Amino acid sequence: MKIIEILPELDIGGVERHVIDLSNELVRRGHEVIVISAGGKMQSQLRTSVRHINLPVHKKNPFTGWLCAKKIAHIAKTYRADLIHAHSRVPAWIAMIAAKNAGIPFITTAHSDFSTKTRWIYKPYRDANVNICVSRAVLNGMKGCFSDNTKIILNGLDTPNVSWQMPGGTPKFLYIGRLVEYKGIQDALHAMPKELSWTFDIVGEGNYRKKLEELVKELGFYNRVTFHGYSDKTDEFMVNASCFIFPSHDESFGLALARAAQIGLPFIATNIDAFSELCGSQKGLIDPGDITGLNKAIAKFIKTKNTEVVMPKENIPTLDKMTDEVIKVYEDVLSGFEKNK
């Protein structure tokens, strides 16, 4: 198959990780893939056999979107693409227009429970041949805006090359992800017990970094907390940490949390639908924003090296399984599309 994948950018985030892993696995299996985005720090992680085309598909400008759709339709015809797969809202609109002009089907993936619930915004998701949701939490949150063309395919992770063992010395806590307010990193900082020994590594970038750095100074933690910025060596950070902290207030899946569990790193996380779905229960999860609960869990880990929450390995979907399911969607869509011509 020849597939066009569209996403806004290839910077830091779960959508980017998903598209990179899916595209790399598709070409490894012999398919041809073009990724279209505005580029970014993670672009280098695409295999050399994945072609990348830089277009401003991240801009929320109708005229820019129409021009991108026109260019992508031309690319699809020239490339003889079989289908277009869009990730995120603006690319979904672009894919809908481009696919119609190119005379091929299109698929969407909803990577989050969008805060805006205005139904007309999600027309591309309803009009798509199939709309994939990355978790039941996303489907439940958006069921009023999506339609019965929706299928759940959980995000999959490749097999890590490392496995975790508890390091000695001072407990090392770790957060990996975007630095934005809803991720709750500020809650974790407020919850860190001042009277106990620990360090906290924060890996990632985002518009909330400056405020977090100011909070670290206010709390007097500047010798304990280190901001590392973006890194493509997240597995190395995990294998060298003692405990992963993911205090998010909202999440569609939680790739970083699933990766930590896959590597074997203990974790402390919040009780949101996506996390309880992965863990199979709410046991040990802490309510979002519950700083007292976080403080108790962190202090308990420092003293006992244990957390109450677990994520069964069988609940963590593999990249192979995810790719198998996505390919099956592609094949079914193409089969149905040919019959209806």
Side-chain angles (χ1 to χ4, degrees):
M1 289 182 286
K2 294 182 178 180
I3 305 138
I4 295 175
E5 306 278 349
I6 312 175
L7 74 160
E9 297 173 287
L10 279 167
D11 248 324
I12 306 162
V15 177
E16 291 85 346
R17 179 77 274 145
H18 172 93
V19 174
I20 288 168
D21 288 347
L22 174 61
S23 300
N24 287 345
E25 181 62 15
L26 286 169
V27 297
R28 191 190 70 79
R29 296 188 185 196
H31 302 286
E32 297 180 42
V33 177
I34 290 178
V35 172
I36 297 175
S37 81
K41 293 177 181 177
M42 296 178 74
Q43 185 177 324
S44 61
Q45 296 179 34
L46 288 168
R47 283 175 175 248
T48 55
S49 49
V50 176
R51 183 182 173 192
H52 180 267
I53 295 175
N54 197 308
L55 287 176
V57 291
H58 63 309
K59 292 189 175 180
K60 297 178 181 179
N61 179 297
F63 183 66
T64 302
W66 179 81
L67 286 177
C68 286
K70 187 176 179 181
K71 290 177 182 177
I72 292 169
H74 176 73
I75 292 167
K77 290 176 183 177
T78 304
Y79 178 63
R80 295 187 179 178
D82 293 303
L83 58 85
I84 299 173
H85 187 172
H87 307 261
S88 197
R89 285 175 287 186
V90 173
W93 278 93
I94 292 169
M96 180 178 69
I97 298 167
K100 183 178 180 181
N101 290 340
I104 59 175
F106 81 102
I107 292 163
T108 53
T109 290
H111 290 269
S112 63
D113 176 1
F114 301 116
S115 57
T116 303
K117 295 294 195 292
T118 307
R119 186 174 166 83
W120 72 266
I121 293 176
Y122 303 103
K123 175 178 169 58
Y125 293 88
R126 295 192 301 276
D127 287 3
N129 296 81
V130 173
N131 173 43
I132 298 169
C133 286
V134 299
S135 68
R136 185 162 297 282
V138 172
L139 177 59
N140 289 342
M142 297 300 298
K143 59 187 176 183
C145 295
F146 295 163
S147 62
D148 58 6
N149 69 336
T150 301
K151 178 180 178 63
I152 297 171
I153 299 179
L154 298 180
N155 274 324
L157 293 91
D158 63 350
T159 303
N161 296 318
V162 295
S163 59
W164 178 84
Q165 290 184 337
M166 179 67 75
T170 302
K172 298 167 65 176
F173 291 90
L174 173 68
Y175 167 85
I176 296 175
R178 282 188 296 141
L179 306 188
V180 290
E181 187 172 7
Y182 77 83
K183 294 287 188 177
I185 313 158
Q186 66 278 8
D187 299 335
L189 289 170
H190 279 296
M192 300 306 293
K194 294 183 178 181
E195 70 281 3
L196 298 175
S197 296
W198 50 266
T199 63
F200 191 6
D201 292 301
I202 298 175
V203 180
E205 284 291 354
N207 57 20
Y208 205 53
R209 175 169 175 166
K210 186 176 180 181
K211 288 188 177 180
L212 291 172
E213 289 175 332
E214 290 171 354
L215 177 59
V216 166
K217 290 180 182 177
E218 289 173 18
L219 294 169
F221 291 161
Y222 44 84
N223 289 327
R224 303 209 216 182
V225 178
T226 303
F227 290 87
H228 294 273
Y230 168 75
S231 174
D232 58 3
K233 301 184 185 303
T234 53
D235 283 2
E236 291 182 23
F237 275 99
M238 286 186 178
V239 81
N240 289 307
S242 305
C243 182
F244 191 70
I245 298 182
F246 211 33
S248 187
H249 293 205
D250 183 38
E251 209 72 38
S252 59
F253 182 81
L255 273 172
L257 182 65
R259 188 62 163 188
Q262 187 185 34
I263 287 174
L265 176 63
F267 62 87
I268 295 167
T270 39
N271 184 18
I272 56 178
D273 289 345
F275 294 170
S276 60
E277 182 179 344
L278 284 170
C279 293
S281 75
Q282 298 178 351
K283 183 180 178 182
L285 296 172
I286 299 158
D287 288 340
D290 181 359
I291 293 172
T292 301
L294 280 171
N295 175 266
K296 288 180 179 178
I298 292 166
K300 180 181 177 181
F301 179 83
I302 293 171
K303 294 172 183 177
T304 67
K305 301 297 188 291
N306 290 312
T307 63
E308 291 185 20
V309 62
V310 296
M311 186 185 299
K313 289 289 179 73
E314 60 269 21
N315 287 7
I316 305 171
T318 64
L319 179 58
D320 275 345
K321 184 175 186 296
M322 181 193 80
T323 307
D324 286 343
E325 293 180 5
V326 171
I327 287 174
K328 180 67 165 57
V329 168
Y330 290 170
E331 291 173 343
D332 289 347
V333 164
L334 289 173
S335 176
F337 190 78
E338 289 298 320
K339 287 179 182 178
N340 293 327
K341 273 189 174 180

